[in-house]
Amino acid sequence: MKTPAIALLAASLGVSLALAGSAAAQAPGGPAELGPRPFYLVDQMEDGPLKQQLAQCKGPFSTKNFSISHRGAPLQFPEHTREGYVAAARMGAGVMECDIAFTKDLQLVCRHAQCDLHTTTDILARPELASKCSRGFEPADPATGRKASAKCCTSDLTLAEFKSLHPKMDGADTNATTVEGYMNGTPSWRTDLYVDRATLVTHKEYIELVKSLGLKFTPELKGPEVPMPFEGRYTQEDYAQQLINEYKEAGVDPKDVYPQSFHLGDVEYWLKAEPAFGAQAVFLDGRDEEDKAFDNMKPETWKPSMQELADKGVKILAPPLWMLVTAKDGKIVPSVYAQEAKKAGLGLIAWSLERSGPLTSGGGYYYQSIKSITDRDGDTLALLDVLAKQIGVIGVFSDWPATTTFYANCMKLD
């Protein structure tokens, strides 16, 4: 069951989106519409000076580059859809993310992963397209413990076929024995209220939209889930270059683009082949999942080191929220990772706020280093305050940008 606060928020954004009209009305420094959620989070904070300060912050509120839209506004809208991006812009996100994947005919589209169409679209309910999936739907088998699964990739479809799909909220019921049951997997703290009219977008369409909004771009080159070169001819370098070419063709200023990748080789490629864009390239740090020895409090486990990253030309490092903090004496404090990154002169961006659902049970993956002191939704703002004031991050990705926009306005951040 949705909480009353979430239901109210969803209703308010539905009206807001319906009244959007021309998306071009949004611009840097322009007005932002936050809805009730940031104020709900303030109410849920522990009593203290920060809560008092934020409770007195009444606006007006404006667009902030500190507020980075993570996949649009996926707390309530299907990710990487036009409607999600417009909602994020109205909430004051100054930077918009498009995760980049490629289709069978080598066109770039916005998807979180190359092979997530079975959980983010209606492809399994479309037999003519489901038949093209890398692996079709397999129902759960309670007798053997097998979970339901499928694998449907953008590279299985042409651009035209991709554009014919209808997005849905990301999720799947792996205990399901039918396609319908498998697709009905939206987490209870999200909503399907805005699914019916949501629209998938290509990378070029995303560029056109964000450009019309007067906002900045952060495209993420997703790791291919098929052998490269794809079909023996499309290399990783081709993929990385095509992303940049679409900004050049659209006449976008390189200073407005923050290309990002979990693959350090992509960042190094941009630094060498496209230095104007590479200067703002973001290395997304996923080493915690790639290396079992990684420990955010032990520099000897970081390969490469912070200084080695800086020496390679990396200017901006983007780890998950938890890597930047730890718990000490019942408080959130900067981690050794955060301290060493700053010593090496690396700018920091954190991901992803508002992705964990209710925080009463500790917040899961994104809060793992401070789980022992996380027990209420208001801890979202307590964490954000440490990231901004004690660590000095230059931006924070959020699934609901109103929260980061609210904080940035209250603290007079850019």
Side-chain angles (χ1 to χ4, degrees):
M1 180 180 293
K2 306 294 188 294
T3 66
I6 291 293
L8 178 59
L9 177 60
S12 69
L13 254 292
V15 173
S16 177
L17 185 63
L19 297 176
S22 172
Q26 192 72 27
E33 301 175 12
L34 303 187
R37 182 163 175 81
F39 308 98
Y40 160 79
L41 294 177
V42 173
D43 289 342
Q44 299 302 312
M45 295 179 70
E46 289 187 0
D47 292 337
L50 179 60
K51 180 175 182 177
Q52 292 175 5
Q53 181 180 6
L54 294 176
Q56 294 170 5
C57 184
K58 304 299 183 182
F61 301 100
S62 61
T63 298
K64 296 290 184 179
N65 290 330
F66 179 86
S67 181
I68 306 174
S69 162
H70 182 240
R71 312 187 200 176
L75 182 63
Q76 297 290 311
F77 292 83
E79 61 190 41
H80 295 309
T81 58
R82 180 180 179 85
E83 292 73 16
Y85 288 130
V86 171
R90 294 183 69 82
M91 288 187 280
V95 185
M96 297 284 187
E97 182 192 42
C98 168
D99 293 327
I100 308 296
F102 58 84
T103 61
K104 187 175 182 63
D105 48 353
L106 305 181
Q107 299 300 303
L108 302 184
V109 296
C110 295
R111 279 296 88 199
H112 172 62
Q114 184 176 21
C115 298
D116 73 358
L117 298 182
H118 50 287
T119 64
T120 64
T121 75
D122 67 342
I123 189 169
L124 293 178
R126 307 273 295 280
E128 74 283 6
L129 297 179
S131 65
K132 301 186 177 187
C133 289
S134 294
R135 188 177 70 249
F137 174 70
E138 297 182 1
D141 185 348
T144 63
R146 184 186 69 195
K147 297 294 185 180
S149 66
K151 185 178 181 181
C152 303
C153 309
T154 58
S155 52
D156 293 332
L157 306 179
T158 66
L159 178 62
E161 290 167 338
F162 171 82
K163 287 288 287 181
S164 74
L165 295 171
H166 297 292
K168 72 179 191 69
M169 295 297 280
D170 186 16
D173 180 357
T174 58
N175 293 314
T177 56
T178 65
V179 165
E180 182 180 15
Y182 181 77
M183 293 174 61
N184 187 24
T186 302
S188 61
W189 42 271
R190 292 182 179 150
T191 179
D192 292 318
L193 192 60
Y194 304 118
V195 168
D196 288 347
R197 294 183 178 273
T199 311
L200 294 177
V201 296
T202 67
H203 182 224
K204 290 180 179 178
E205 289 169 338
Y206 151 86
I207 292 175
E208 180 182 4
L209 174 61
V210 176
K211 187 176 180 180
S212 75
L213 294 167
L215 303 175
K216 296 182 184 297
F217 312 78
T218 185
E220 178 188 335
L221 197 71
K222 300 305 297 188
E225 296 184 46
V226 294
M228 298 292 277
F230 179 62
E231 296 190 340
R233 59 190 176 93
Y234 187 65
T235 67
Q236 184 69 25
E237 290 76 17
D238 292 334
Y239 184 28
Q241 186 62 52
Q242 185 178 358
L243 180 151
I244 299 299
N245 287 346
E246 295 195 352
Y247 290 94
K248 295 166 74 171
E249 292 164 3
V252 174
D253 188 333
K255 293 181 180 179
D256 289 336
V257 183
Y258 296 82
Q260 49 177 334
S261 178
F262 280 98
H263 179 45
L264 185 56
D266 293 332
V267 175
E268 293 177 310
Y269 174 82
W270 291 323
L271 284 165
K272 181 179 180 180
E274 294 288 351
F277 289 89
Q280 294 191 141
V282 180
F283 175 45
L284 296 162
D285 198 345
R287 289 177 289 178
D288 62 313
E289 295 189 336
E290 298 168 359
D291 185 352
K292 293 182 179 179
F294 180 91
D295 187 325
N296 72 325
M297 300 297 285
K298 297 180 179 180
E300 64 271 19
T301 68
W302 313 337
K303 300 175 183 180
S305 69
M306 296 299 181
Q307 191 57 55
E308 287 170 337
L309 286 174
D311 291 344
K312 290 176 179 290
V314 175
K315 299 291 193 301
I316 305 174
L317 181 63
L321 299 169
W322 75 265
M323 279 194 201
L324 293 170
V325 293
T326 190
K328 183 178 181 180
D329 298 328
K331 296 183 179 180
I332 303 172
V333 298
S335 67
V336 173
Y337 178 103
Q339 294 167 0
E340 292 300 313
K342 298 299 287 186
K343 285 181 184 178
L346 296 170
L348 291 168
I349 294 174
W351 47 272
S352 295
L353 210 68
E354 300 279 41
R355 189 151 189 85
S356 301
L359 300 185
T360 53
S361 60
Y365 171 79
Y366 292 97
Y367 290 78
Q368 61 186 278
S369 60
I370 55 171
K371 180 178 180 179
S372 63
I373 56 173
T374 300
D375 62 5
R376 63 185 68 201
D377 290 346
D379 290 336
T380 300
L381 293 171
L383 171 58
L384 192 54
D385 192 61
V386 173
L387 293 172
K389 291 181 181 176
Q390 297 185 41
I391 298 173
V393 299
I394 59 179
V396 176
F397 283 91
S398 178
D399 278 25
W400 200 246
T403 301
T404 41
T405 300
F406 168 76
Y407 179 86
N409 274 270
C410 295
M411 300 302 175
K412 302 187 182 337
L413 303 177
D414 292 335

